[in-house]
Amino acid sequence: MMRILPFALLVCTTAFGQSAKKAAYQRNDIKTEERVKDLLKRMTIEEKAGQLNQWAGDLNTGPASGNADWKYKLESIKSGKVGSMLNVVGAAKTRQVQAAAMQSRLGIPLLFGYDVMHGYKTIFPIPLAEACSWDLEQVERNHIVAANETSSAGVHWTFGPMADISTDPRWGRVMEGAGEDPWLGAQLAAARVKGFQGNLDSNHILACVKHFAAYGAVEAGKEYAYTDLSREALWNKYLPPYKAAVEAGAASVMNGFNIFEGIPVTGNRYLVTDVLKNKWNFKGFVVSDWNSIGEMVNWGYATDNKDAAFKALAAGSMMDMETNAIVKFLPELVKEGKITMKQVDDAVGRILYYKFKLGLFDNPYAYCNEERETATLFNAANRKQALEAAKRSVVLLKNDSKTLPLKKDGRKLALIGLYANDKAHMFDFWKGQGNPLDAVSLKEGLTAAYGESNISFSAGYTVNPATMDQVLIAEAVERARAADVAVVNIGLSGDLAGEDRALANTAIPPNQVALLKALKTTGKPVIAVVSAGRPMILTDITDLCDAILYTWILGTESGNAIAQVLTGEYNPSAKTVMSFPKATGQIPVYYNHFKTGRPNPTDGNGNWYSRYRDVENHPLYPFGYGLSYSHFTYSNLTLSDSSMTKTGTIKVKVTITNDGEYDGEEVAQLYINDVTASLIRPVKELKGFKKEMLKKGESKVIQFTLTGKDLSFFDGSGNSVLEAGTFEVFVGGNSRDVLNAKFRLK
C-alpha cells in the first residue's frame, strides 16, 4: 500500500531519499515576509481558519469548553484545525503535541501560550507589588527570568503584561497591573515587554498586552462587567500603557471582556482597527480573551456564534481563544462574502510571521529541551533574583517611634497570624507552575533570621473572617506578653487575588481587627505585616499598630524578603502605585483626580463644596507614598526659566538630603498641573521619577527635564494637544507632600 506523506515531508523527500527542492516557506535564507506570502498561497480556507483557532490543554483558566478529550485534540491538530494551544506546558508535553502539528498537511507548528503573570516556576511579586519598586531595570530583569523559565518548558508566548489602569481595589485583577497612573503604567508596560521578548531568541517569549482596552474601568470593580468612559478618558488615562507596550515591540494584543461605547471591545472596530492597527501601526496579531468572542452573544451584541465570529473578524480581531467560532464559521463567512480573503490573509499572516520569527518552521522543537528545562526551572540564580525583587516591593506605611528595624539582638518575637505559617494561602490564582510548598513562609524566614529559640508562633485567627475564635486570640495574647514584640501577619488569602476575585469589602477582616485590639492591650509593640493582592482599607487597624509593612503577595522568597526588611538588612524603598482608601465609599479614590467647580468651602461655616460629610476626600495613604528607615528632606526647588516655548525645555532641580540614621534609597517624583486648558486636566500628573541611593547625611541635586510632550494631552480623537498657559510643577517623595513652582508655556 502506498503511504501518503504530509506535504511538509513530501517536498523534502524523493523516492530515492534525496533532498528535493524546498518550498519557499521552508527556506530560511529568504525574507520572513516572502515565506509568509508563499505559505498563505498554499493554504486552504479551512487551514487558515485553523490558524485562528486556539484551544486549552490540561488546565481551564476559564469556563470549561468541552474540548477535554486529548485524542480529539490531537486529531484536530493533525488535520490543521488548531493553530495554537494554551495551558500546555513542559518540554516533553509540548514536544508530544507539536509532533501532531508536524503531521498536518503543511507542517505548520503550533504556538504554545501560558499565563505568566509573575513568574513561571520561580514566583516573583505580583505585578502590582513589583510596580511599587519604581525600578524599571529590576522589572525588566524579573521578566527576563520569567521568560527564560517559561521558554525552557516549551512555551512560546505569554498573555501579559496586563496594562489596564485601575483605580478600584475591589477589582481582583488590580494585582496584575501597575496601579492608577498612566505615565508610570506606560513605563512599566514597556519594561515588561522588553524583558519577556528580548530579541525573540529561544530564551525569550512573545508578549501579549492586555486587556485592550480600558478593562480596568469595570463598573464597581466587578469582573466581566460594563465599562462606560469618554474618548478623552480613553486616550489620556487608559490607552498610554498599551501604546507604550506596542511601541516596545509587543507581538500580540488581547481583547478585554468589557464594553466601549456600547460595543464589546472584541468586536469594536474603533479600538482594534482604527486605533491599534491604523493609528498605532501595530503589526502583531490580536487574540480574544477566553471565549470573549462567544460572550458577545451574552452581551446582546451578536445573535449567535457565527454572528460573533463575523463581528470579531470585521472589527480586526484575529485569533479565537476557546469559542470555536472562527474555525467553524470562517469558511461560510468567506463564501457568503461577509469576510474577504484579504482580511483572512492579514490575520493569518500576522500569526505565521511570528511563528517564523521564533524559528519554529526551522526547528519546531527548539523550545522542547528537557535538559535545559531541568537546569533552568527554580534554580539558585532565579531564586536570588526573586528575593531581590520581593524585598524591593515591600512598602513601609507606618513606623511610629522607630519601631523598625528589629535588630537581631536576642529579642523575643511573637509571630502571630495563620498566613505566616500556612503556605496554601501564599500564592494567588496566577501562580504559574509555582508550588506554594516551595515558597519560604514568614515563619521560616523569621526563624532563619532570628533563630528558632527567639520565635514563638500562634495562629491568632481562622480564614473565615466572621469567626471570632477567642481561644486563638487568647493564645496570641499570651505569646505576645511573653515576647518583646508582636509581629502579626494579617490581610487576605492569595486565593482572593486575580481573575474572578472581586470583593465588595476590602477592609481588614473583623476577626483580625479583634486580634489586633487584644494585642494592643499587652503594651508590647505591634507590627502588622499585611499580605494581600490589592490595597486594603487599613483605617480600622492604623491606630492599633506601631508599624505597618505592606507585603502584598511576594512569591517564592516572601519570608526571606520580609525578614530582611524587618531586621534592617534591607532598608525599604518601595512606594505605593495605588492610593489606599479610608473607606469603601471613597472608591475610586486616586491622586490624579480632576478639578471641581467647588474645591473649597464657599461660606464661613465650611459648606457648599465637593466633599463627604463622614470622611475626608483624601486617601489614607496617597499614591507614591512609602517610608524608609532613613528620612529624606526636599529643598531648593528651582526651574531653569520662568517660561518655555513649545519646542523648548524646562530644567527642574531639587535638593534631597538624607537626614536619617541609615543609608537609603528615595524615589523623587515629578508632577505637573496644566492650570487652564481647553479640556480640564487632573490636579496632578506624574511626569518623571528618579530613584537615588543617598548615604546617611548626604545631599544630592536631582534634575528633571520637561518637554512639550510632557505638557501635552490628547483630545477625543487621539491627537496630541499642547496649549500655551501656566503650568505648576511639583516635586516630592509622594503625590501629597511636595514642593511647587510655576512657569508659563508660550
Side-chain angles (χ1 to χ4, degrees):
M1 178 181 290
M2 180 178 179
R3 186 165 64 97
I4 300 176
L5 294 174
F7 180 81
L9 300 178
L10 189 62
V11 295
C12 298
T13 309
T14 68
F16 304 100
Q18 297 173 333
S19 176
K21 183 179 180 181
K22 288 184 177 181
Y25 80 90
Q26 296 174 314
R27 294 171 50 192
N28 59 16
D29 61 337
I30 62 176
K31 290 183 178 180
T32 300
E33 292 80 2
E34 294 302 314
R35 299 178 77 179
V36 170
K37 187 181 300 184
D38 178 74
L39 182 53
L40 285 171
K41 291 178 182 178
R42 300 172 186 272
M43 297 172 71
T44 67
I45 184 60
E46 289 77 15
E47 287 168 332
K48 290 176 181 180
Q51 288 302 300
L52 302 178
N53 186 34
Q54 184 182 63
W55 281 353
D58 299 310
L59 171 69
N60 282 326
T61 47
S65 63
N67 296 324
D69 182 0
W70 262 110
K71 182 179 179 181
Y72 171 71
K73 290 177 184 176
L74 291 174
E75 288 304 316
S76 298
I77 291 168
K78 290 176 185 178
S79 61
K81 294 179 181 178
V82 182
S84 174
M85 296 290 293
L86 74 154
N87 301 339
V88 178
V89 299
K93 183 67 174 181
T94 54
R95 176 179 286 274
Q96 174 196 358
V97 179
Q98 190 71 285
M102 292 301 98
Q103 297 178 55
S104 65
R105 187 178 74 92
L106 294 172
I108 302 175
L110 293 168
L111 269 182
F112 293 107
Y114 189 62
D115 285 288
V116 184
M117 293 297 100
H118 53 113
Y120 178 81
K121 183 68 173 178
T122 306
I123 306 304
F124 283 73
I126 59 172
L128 186 65
E130 177 191 61
C132 293
S133 71
W134 293 66
D135 189 332
L136 301 179
E137 292 181 358
Q138 174 78 44
V139 169
E140 186 172 341
R141 289 194 297 270
N142 298 345
H143 286 71
I144 290 172
V145 171
N148 192 26
E149 286 200 343
T150 305
S151 61
S152 79
V155 177
H156 314 122
W157 178 28
T158 187
F159 307 117
M162 190 185 92
D164 304 332
I165 295 299
S166 180
T167 57
D168 197 329
R170 294 173 297 182
W171 190 40
R173 304 194 80 162
V174 294
M175 63 144 286
E176 299 175 42
E180 69 190 41
D181 183 78
W183 186 90
L184 182 60
Q187 315 308 309
L188 288 161
R192 287 165 173 162
V193 167
K194 292 173 184 176
F196 275 143
Q197 293 195 166
N199 59 1
L200 289 184
D201 59 21
S202 59
N203 294 323
H204 291 83
I205 54 180
L206 302 178
C208 182
V209 187
K210 65 184 187 184
H211 305 89
F212 195 73
Y215 190 31
V218 283
E219 194 171 63
K222 287 190 297 183
E223 194 75 74
Y224 319 119
Y226 185 79
T227 50
D228 190 7
L229 62 148
S230 67
R231 290 199 179 191
E232 288 78 13
L234 176 76
W235 280 99
N236 287 286
K237 182 173 183 175
Y238 294 101
L239 288 185
Y242 307 116
K243 186 173 188 288
V246 167
E247 290 174 345
S252 60
V253 169
M254 179 182 285
N255 303 127
F257 286 116
N258 57 303
I259 302 297
F260 180 67
E261 294 183 333
I263 298 174
V265 296
T266 300
N268 196 300
R269 182 174 177 82
Y270 174 72
L271 289 176
V272 181
T273 292
D274 295 351
V275 174
L276 181 63
K277 294 168 70 175
N278 293 344
K279 199 170 185 71
W280 293 355
N281 198 31
F282 175 62
K283 298 299 185 184
F285 62 95
V286 179
V287 61
S288 77
D289 208 334
W290 188 290
N291 194 36
S292 69
I293 292 177
E295 287 171 15
M296 290 197 288
V297 177
N298 297 341
W299 279 109
Y301 183 67
T303 56
D304 53 27
N305 276 1
K306 180 178 178 180
D307 188 37
F310 162 65
K311 287 177 176 174
L313 289 166
S317 294
M318 301 168 191
M319 187 180 286
D320 175 0
M321 181 192 291
E322 278 294 304
T323 300
N324 297 312
I326 290 178
V327 70
K328 183 176 182 180
F329 296 112
L330 180 60
E332 292 180 30
L333 293 170
V334 171
K335 185 177 181 180
E336 294 166 1
K338 292 182 178 179
I339 297 294
T340 68
M341 194 57 73
K342 182 179 179 181
Q343 289 173 296
V344 174
D345 285 352
D346 176 65
V348 175
R350 289 165 181 256
I351 295 165
L352 294 175
Y353 175 85
Y354 277 101
K355 291 185 177 184
F356 280 113
K357 289 294 286 185
L358 291 173
L360 298 180
F361 279 89
D362 304 318
N363 181 4
Y365 308 110
Y367 290 67
C368 307
N369 185 323
E370 292 178 73
E371 184 177 334
R372 179 193 161 210
E373 181 182 31
T374 300
T376 302
L377 297 186
F378 209 61
N379 64 34
N382 295 350
R383 294 191 64 174
K384 181 179 179 181
Q385 180 73 9
L387 174 59
E388 184 69 19
K391 66 188 182 184
R392 296 180 74 81
S393 302
V394 175
V395 184
L396 178 61
L397 293 175
K398 180 179 180 180
N399 194 24
D400 285 359
S401 303
K402 299 179 181 179
T403 302
L404 295 174
L406 298 174
K407 298 296 185 183
K408 293 186 282 187
D409 53 9
R411 70 182 73 192
K412 304 294 183 181
L413 275 63
L415 176 60
I416 300 164
L418 171 70
Y419 297 148
N421 194 42
D422 191 336
K423 295 186 179 184
H425 299 283
M426 287 183 65
F427 285 2
D428 57 280
F429 176 71
W430 296 119
K431 60 181 178 293
Q433 291 293 300
N435 185 347
L437 297 179
D438 292 335
V440 180
S441 70
L442 181 55
K443 184 174 183 288
E444 290 171 335
L446 292 187
T447 299
Y450 291 97
E452 189 171 358
S453 62
N454 293 319
I455 302 290
S456 64
F457 173 77
S458 59
Y461 56 83
T462 64
V463 175
N464 186 342
T467 302
M468 301 290 180
D469 193 321
Q470 296 301 325
V471 174
L472 292 180
I473 291 176
E475 180 187 358
V477 168
E478 181 182 351
R479 296 293 175 94
R481 291 190 191 281
D484 297 304
V485 62
V487 177
V488 192
N489 191 187
I490 58 174
L492 295 173
S493 169
D495 289 337
L496 291 175
E499 184 176 349
D500 190 26
R501 281 147 177 83
L503 295 175
N505 182 5
T506 60
I508 296 294
N511 58 350
Q512 297 178 13
V513 176
L515 170 65
L516 288 171
K517 287 180 177 177
L519 293 173
K520 184 72 172 176
T521 67
T522 67
K524 299 299 175 71
V526 175
I527 300 166
V529 176
V530 187
S531 302
R534 68 189 82 211
M536 297 188 70
I537 297 171
L538 306 178
T539 308
D540 291 341
I541 72 161
T542 301
D543 293 337
L544 301 176
C545 307
D546 298 278
I548 301 175
L549 274 181
Y550 214 84
T551 57
W552 308 100
I553 297 170
L554 294 178
T556 298
E557 293 293 325
S558 179
N560 289 333
I562 298 170
Q564 287 193 16
V565 174
L566 287 171
T567 63
E569 182 178 339
Y570 179 77
N571 187 354
S573 63
K575 304 272 191 175
T576 60
V577 294
M578 283 188 77
S579 302
F580 279 64
K582 284 189 174 182
T584 301
Q586 286 183 312
I587 298 172
V589 59
Y590 47 97
Y591 90 92
N592 49 351
H593 60 85
F594 287 91
K595 301 168 187 177
T596 171
R598 293 187 180 182
N600 301 303
T602 56
D603 66 9
N605 298 316
N607 294 315
W608 314 115
Y609 72 106
S610 179
R611 47 93 179 254
Y612 298 104
R613 289 281 182 168
D614 57 344
V615 67
E616 297 92 340
N617 286 347
H618 56 80
L620 184 63
Y621 298 109
F623 175 88
Y625 181 85
L627 302 175
S628 165
Y629 298 149
S630 299
H631 180 269
F632 301 97
T633 299
Y634 287 74
S635 62
N636 302 324
L637 175 63
T638 61
L639 305 181
S640 59
D641 207 330
S642 60
S643 65
M644 67 172 274
T645 64
K646 291 183 178 181
T647 57
T649 61
I650 283 278
K651 306 293 184 184
V652 181
K653 291 184 180 181
V654 69
T655 300
I656 307 177
T657 301
N658 180 349
D659 48 17
E661 300 175 6
Y662 300 88
D663 299 345
E665 290 178 288
E666 171 67 344
V667 180
Q669 301 156 43
L670 171 70
Y671 300 87
I672 68 160
N673 169 236
D674 189 345
V675 176
T676 306
S678 58
L679 294 174
I680 63 168
R681 307 301 306 133
V683 295
K684 288 191 184 81
E685 297 179 81
L686 182 69
K687 293 298 178 181
F689 72 89
K690 291 193 176 181
K691 190 165 188 174
E692 296 284 343
M693 170 62 77
L694 284 85
K695 298 288 187 181
K696 179 176 67 174
E698 182 183 7
S699 293
K700 280 188 179 181
V701 176
I702 307 298
Q703 179 174 294
F704 300 95
T705 301
L706 284 170
T707 68
K709 182 179 179 181
D710 299 314
L711 307 179
S712 63
F713 58 89
F714 292 105
D715 64 17
S717 298
N719 301 311
S720 182
V721 177
L722 180 60
E723 297 176 337
T726 300
F727 285 82
E728 291 183 286
V729 176
F730 310 91
V731 180
N734 61 71
S735 60
R736 180 189 64 199
D737 305 313
V738 293
L739 304 176
N740 68 292
K742 291 183 179 181
F743 70 92
R744 282 195 61 80
L745 178 66
K746 298 188 292 188

